[in-house]
């Protein structure tokens, strides 16, 4: 008997393609000199916003299953997390390579003296082991309980990302507050579930 096709076979390819659309738009705007008066700032803001958006979406996958009984977001969780890391890396590389011209001393000075950059850098550093251990092979190598404990760092990363965004904006804090609320709600749901099943 042939294997049953997975439900919604278009889901992962569709999300993957959709996640790359913002990058394609940015590349198109850059190629046609349409990034505005401050293209570096625009790229920094867009990549950072995308990283936090995908991170929040990653954290909402399990709460969606708990509250709504949806299982399809779980199949997207790894991909969403990797896209969060991808855009966070682009955010940092735009800052370090384009904005600071790979001046390591200036980057280190910014990290040590500007709190919002320090918090954002810590979030990126914590995302590295999460990305490196995202494969099934690494789950087997670490063992699921240890892997699960490691990937709880995602919530810390989310909190750091929201703080980074909040400290970065100078006036309108509505979007950072929304992100903080979403991430806080996801964490609260997981904590309640953990206490309920003790």
């Amino acid at each position: 008997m042939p294997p049953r096709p997975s439900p919604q076979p278009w889901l992962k390819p569709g999300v993957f393609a959709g996640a790359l659309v913002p990058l394609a738009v940015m590349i198109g705007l850059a190629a046609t000199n349409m990034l505005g008066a401050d293209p570096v700032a625009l790229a920094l803001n867009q990549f950072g916003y995308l990283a936090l958006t995908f991170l929040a979406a990653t954290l909402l996958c399990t709460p969606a299953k708990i509250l709504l009984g949806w299982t399809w977001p779980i199949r997207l969780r790894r991909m969403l997390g990797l896209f969060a890391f991808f855009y966070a890396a682009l955010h940092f590389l735009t800052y370090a390579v384009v904005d600071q011209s790979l001046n390591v001393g200036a980057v280190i000075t910014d990290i040590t003296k500007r709190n919002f950059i320090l918090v954002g850098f810590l979030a990126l550093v914590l995302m590295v082991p999460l990305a490196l251990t995202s494969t099934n092979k690494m789950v087997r190598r670490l063992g699921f309980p240890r892997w699960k404990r490691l990937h709880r760092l995602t919530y810390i990363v989310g909190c750091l990302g929201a703080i980074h965004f909040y400290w970065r904006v100078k006036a309108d804090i509505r979007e950072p507050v929304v992100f903080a609320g979403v991430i806080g709600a996801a964490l609260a749901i997981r904590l309640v579930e953990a206490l309920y099943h003790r």
Side-chain angles (χ1 to χ4, degrees):
M1 173 180 280
R4 293 176 60 187
S6 61
Q8 301 163 323
W10 50 265
L11 187 61
K12 283 188 177 182
V15 172
F16 185 89
L20 290 175
V21 168
L23 178 60
V25 170
M26 290 292 294
I27 292 173
L29 292 175
T32 53
N33 295 316
M34 294 180 63
L35 286 177
D38 194 346
V40 175
L42 178 63
L44 277 170
N45 291 338
Q46 288 299 312
F47 289 144
Y49 191 88
L50 286 165
L52 197 52
T53 299
F54 280 106
L55 185 59
T58 304
L59 293 173
L60 286 173
C61 289
T62 301
K65 180 181 178 182
I66 294 170
L67 296 179
L68 304 173
W70 294 349
T71 57
W72 60 264
I74 300 299
R75 300 201 300 275
L76 298 174
R77 184 169 53 188
R78 179 185 304 174
M79 182 189 300
L80 294 171
L82 288 172
F83 269 113
F85 176 69
F86 173 69
Y87 280 114
L90 286 180
H91 177 66
F92 178 75
L93 289 173
T94 301
Y95 159 72
V97 177
V98 182
D99 188 41
Q100 296 297 329
S101 302
L102 274 181
N103 185 332
V104 177
V107 171
I108 293 174
T109 298
D110 269 354
I111 290 172
T112 55
K113 292 189 175 182
R114 304 174 75 181
N115 288 337
F116 83 93
I117 294 181
L118 173 61
V119 167
F121 183 70
L122 288 175
L124 178 63
V125 169
L126 290 177
M127 292 178 82
V128 172
L130 300 179
L132 292 176
T133 59
S134 64
T135 63
N136 291 333
K137 182 177 179 180
M138 289 303 300
V139 176
R140 292 192 297 268
R141 179 175 295 181
L142 291 173
F144 183 72
R146 186 183 301 173
W147 179 89
K148 189 174 181 180
R149 287 195 298 270
L150 173 64
H151 278 253
R152 286 175 182 155
L153 286 175
T154 309
Y155 289 95
I156 297 176
V157 172
C159 293
L160 292 174
I163 293 170
H164 171 71
F165 191 16
Y166 181 84
W167 285 350
R168 172 67 179 83
V169 298
K170 293 180 172 60
D172 191 349
I173 62 170
R174 287 176 295 179
E175 287 184 338
V177 168
V178 169
F179 275 111
V182 169
I183 293 167
L187 177 57
I189 292 167
R190 293 301 303 274
L191 288 174
V192 170
E193 184 210 21
L195 291 173
Y196 180 78
H197 289 98
R198 285 184 62 180

